[in-house]
Amino acid sequence: MHSAVQVPISTLRGVMATDTAQKVQEVRQVTRIERIGAHSHIRGLGLDDALEARQTSQGMVGQGSARRAAGIILEMIKEGKIAGRAVLIAGQPGTGKTAIAMGMAQALGQDTPFTAIAGSEIFSLEMSKTEALTQAFRRSIGIRIKEETEIIEGEVVEIQVDRPASGTGVKVGKLTLKTTEMETIYDLGTKMIESLTKEKVQAGDIITIDKATGKVTKLGRSFTRARDYDAMGPQTKFVQCPEGELQKRKEVVHTVTLHEIDVINSRTQGFLALFSGDTGEIKTEVREQINAKVAEWREEGKADIVPGVLFVDEVHMLDIECFSFLNRALESDMAPILIMATNRGITKIRGTNYESPHGIPLDLLDRLLIISTSEYSEKEMKQILKIRCEEEDVEMSDDALMLLTRVGIETSLRYAIQLITTANLVCRKRKGQEVEVEDIKRVYSLFLDESRSTQFLIEYQQEFMFSEKGAGESESMEVA
Ligand SMILES: Nc1ncnc2c1ncn2[C@@H]1O[C@H](COP(=O)(O)OP(=O)(O)OP(=O)(O)O)[C@@H](O)[C@H]1O
Ligand SMILES: [Mg+2]
């Protein structure tokens, strides 16, 4: 039994090597396909160096004090020293709570893990609620691993490939590399020739070759070739010819998440599960051993912990069990920063008959820093709509934007944002260049907003199924 469990750990070192870290990176890139989503115009929190919110910056408009507060939390996360803090962003629907969280994610950059889940997601997965939350927690903790690798770095003097006369068969060749002090000729096998061809390496390039994996990386063109500039185009990066020895030791740093290490070392899953996302439940023993290994690496100075962010949107959808899990999980020393968002007021805590502010139990509420968002002014709403038009590549006349802003004030920001795409379609149908007042009017009459839709339901309730309201109560109808 003992030896059987040790296998994954002893392979951990091997698995964690450059190769897998790269695979993990590739998986991340696959999932990072962007399209125009609700928050794709947000590129950060738009704060200046003193953490003051600029009125309009990085796609963010107004909501100054909430953004400033988020900026302070961000500093806390970047310092990386504090774990297990929790923040709640509370406010009315459509006031930018999710947008602020996305802004924080953008500002954190690639190396700090940021996981976003919606409260309701926990219930739809094929695993227990606490397992789902544990995975979300461990996805949000980065382990920065330092590794020394041997590389060869130099300027390419010449590549010579001998093609077999028949055109097929084994290719062999020679690569001459130099630094400012030395020059060496290396023999090339088929694989190396392929990697060099793939990277389009030619004489005058500065390259590194990872000795363990054979991976070739092009750093740029040598300065001595600067006269080629015209032929190469402006994207070319010029670098100095390296000094000293051709062979060097180099420290490389990878950041992977605890969850990724869990999955890689989970016997039943293997790292391919990272591609499908279908990781199933992970055994407690695996996690315990990983924790022990990571603690060992930390002591040896080989790894650091990077607490990231777990963002739980619509947090009122969690139930009492999830909340008590969060309470406890936040106390572990490997906990991320937890950010939650909700638009609920005093409401029932799911799974109980008790009411509480935001539907969150008081003992958890007590640990939270609360950031509140407020409603937008007309000017801010106009600015947000303008940014959305740019994001969706829609030309809109000033009058139309004014009207759309009025619509937004009367109904909601979300409704007004929805009208942008639809108005643009109507405009294109009539072969117009710019969305005009007419187009806005047309889509406004085609698509109902929430209050007109409610009104409609009240008027025609007899015709709908499952209508619960009697004719007399229609005035008191409320939309939850
Ligand atoms: N300050 C802002 N700057 C730029 N865009 C914003 C801002 N606030 C909101 N938006 C945009 O308006 C839309 C609605 O905002 P968002 O989804 O963040 O609201 P929310 O507070 O999360 O609402 P809910 O409570 O319904 O989840 C989004 O497309 C968002 O990107
Ligand atoms: Mg939201």
Side-chain angles (χ1 to χ4, degrees):
M1 175 65 203
H2 193 70
S3 67
V5 186
Q6 266 191 335
V7 177
I9 289 299
S10 59
T11 55
L12 197 56
R13 187 65 49 80
V15 171
M16 291 311 305
T18 333
D19 198 29
T20 306
Q22 267 157 18
K23 278 183 188 135
V24 169
Q25 224 79 49
E26 278 164 26
V27 176
R28 288 211 190 113
Q29 270 155 18
V30 172
T31 50
R32 212 166 262 189
I33 297 170
E34 289 212 5
R35 58 196 173 109
I36 301 178
H39 307 286
S40 52
H41 60 291
I42 308 280
R43 282 173 255 283
L45 283 174
L47 305 176
D48 62 18
D49 292 339
L51 296 186
E52 289 293 319
R54 296 194 180 95
Q55 178 56 22
T56 304
S57 171
Q58 297 189 311
M60 275 284 188
V61 180
Q63 214 61 265
S65 54
R67 278 161 60 202
R68 214 173 316 143
I72 293 171
I73 305 289
L74 204 64
E75 283 300 298
M76 202 164 96
I77 300 165
K78 278 187 186 155
E79 292 202 348
K81 298 206 179 71
I82 306 163
R85 293 298 170 91
V87 179
L88 176 69
I89 311 179
Q92 296 144 352
T95 48
K97 299 180 293 296
T98 309
I100 287 175
M102 293 303 135
M104 293 175 83
Q106 297 277 339
L108 276 177
Q110 290 248 349
D111 261 359
T112 312
F114 182 97
T115 317
I117 57 169
S120 49
E121 246 174 74
I122 301 290
F123 302 96
S124 57
L125 298 170
E126 283 179 6
M127 55 179 86
S128 70
K129 292 177 279 188
T130 48
E131 170 70 16
L133 281 173
T134 308
Q135 290 197 5
F137 259 71
R138 290 175 77 89
R139 253 180 237 276
S140 318
I141 298 164
I143 307 292
R144 193 183 293 133
I145 298 166
K146 288 174 226 133
E147 263 185 334
E148 282 218 333
T149 52
E150 291 236 326
I151 57 160
I152 299 171
E153 184 175 280
E155 177 179 336
V156 179
V157 181
E158 195 186 2
I159 303 180
Q160 183 198 337
V161 179
D162 303 321
R163 283 170 215 287
S166 62
T168 53
V170 193
K171 281 185 210 162
V172 286
K174 285 191 172 18
L175 170 71
T176 317
L177 282 181
K178 69 167 187 191
T179 66
T180 47
E181 272 127 70
M182 60 195 292
E183 188 168 312
T184 309
I185 301 175
Y186 296 92
D187 283 325
L188 297 176
T190 315
K191 259 197 160 158
M192 273 311 292
I193 293 176
E194 271 171 18
S195 331
L196 289 166
T197 326
K198 200 170 131 227
E199 291 294 315
K200 301 201 177 66
V201 174
Q202 44 177 306
D205 286 340
I206 310 283
I207 61 168
T208 64
I209 303 170
D210 187 320
K211 274 186 84 175
T213 62
K215 188 178 183 319
V216 178
T217 316
K218 206 150 98 170
L219 301 180
R221 294 286 292 167
S222 166
F223 267 114
T224 55
R225 303 282 179 137
R227 65 190 146 79
D228 302 350
Y229 182 80
D230 290 338
M232 311 295 294
Q235 313 87 340
T236 319
K237 196 172 122 201
F238 286 98
V239 282
Q240 293 289 359
C241 179
E243 292 170 2
E245 302 252 338
L246 274 161
Q247 295 208 22
K248 290 182 187 124
R249 297 189 139 269
K250 198 172 188 177
E251 188 170 86
V252 277
V253 180
H254 315 289
T255 312
V256 289
T257 70
L258 260 185
H259 176 69
E260 282 161 347
I261 307 183
D262 288 350
V263 174
I264 288 164
N265 287 279
S266 173
R267 273 282 204 76
T268 46
Q269 309 297 337
F271 92 89
L272 281 178
L274 283 177
F275 284 95
S276 61
D278 177 21
T279 53
E281 300 213 353
I282 288 166
K283 288 204 186 77
T284 325
E285 303 96 82
V286 173
R287 290 213 173 103
E288 275 165 8
Q289 280 174 326
I290 306 262
N291 289 352
K293 198 75 200 172
V294 168
E296 199 178 295
W297 287 345
R298 274 169 90 185
E299 252 162 47
E300 292 167 4
K302 284 186 190 144
D304 290 321
I305 292 195
V306 191
V309 177
L310 171 59
F311 173 54
V312 185
D313 209 349
E314 325 274 325
V315 72
H316 50 262
M317 294 304 291
L318 295 184
D319 64 9
I320 186 79
E321 286 168 38
C322 295
F323 284 125
S324 72
F325 173 89
L326 290 184
N327 252 344
R328 217 182 70 87
L330 280 173
E331 273 164 20
S332 131
D333 66 335
M334 286 213 282
I337 306 275
L338 178 67
I339 299 180
M340 297 174 275
T342 180
N343 55 20
R344 297 300 153 96
I346 296 176
T347 180
K348 266 207 185 109
I349 304 168
R350 203 168 164 181
T352 71
N353 282 320
Y354 298 106
E355 292 203 334
S356 177
H358 313 296
I360 299 174
L362 288 174
D363 55 345
L364 178 57
L365 215 46
D366 201 30
R367 294 168 199 232
L368 305 180
L369 291 166
I370 301 180
I371 300 179
S372 71
T373 54
S374 51
E375 276 198 77
Y376 291 111
S377 69
E378 187 164 341
K379 207 173 137 215
E380 288 163 343
M381 177 113 32
K382 187 172 173 192
Q383 191 63 37
I384 295 176
L385 290 170
K386 198 169 165 203
I387 292 177
R388 285 303 301 181
C389 285
E390 281 160 20
E391 180 69 19
E392 297 184 25
D393 250 334
V394 172
E395 302 278 339
M396 191 177 286
S397 73
D398 285 343
D399 288 347
L401 186 61
M402 287 275 270
L403 177 63
L404 190 62
T405 311
R406 286 257 33 110
V407 170
I409 296 281
E410 298 294 325
T411 61
S412 74
L413 172 61
R414 281 238 176 76
Y415 176 71
I417 289 180
Q418 310 276 30
L419 292 192
I420 295 175
T421 327
T422 41
N424 190 41
L425 283 175
V426 170
C427 165
R428 288 219 309 259
K429 257 265 147 19
R430 66 170 175 83
K431 302 217 160 51
Q433 297 295 326
E434 225 182 26
V435 174
E436 298 287 352
V437 171
E438 293 315 303
D439 304 316
I440 303 282
K441 281 189 180 157
R442 177 130 177 79
V443 286
Y444 181 76
S445 65
L446 281 178
F447 301 101
L448 301 183
D449 60 284
E450 175 250 66
S451 66
R452 275 183 294 157
S453 170
T454 313
Q455 193 56 41
F456 181 77
L457 287 181
I458 292 170
E459 280 165 29
Y460 295 96
Q461 54 184 305
Q462 280 82 12
E463 272 102 289
F464 286 90
M465 283 174 71
F466 306 126
S467 188
E468 285 183 1
K469 297 282 167 183
E473 312 169 27
S474 43
E475 290 87 31
S476 63
M477 174 130 176
E478 241 180 60
V479 182

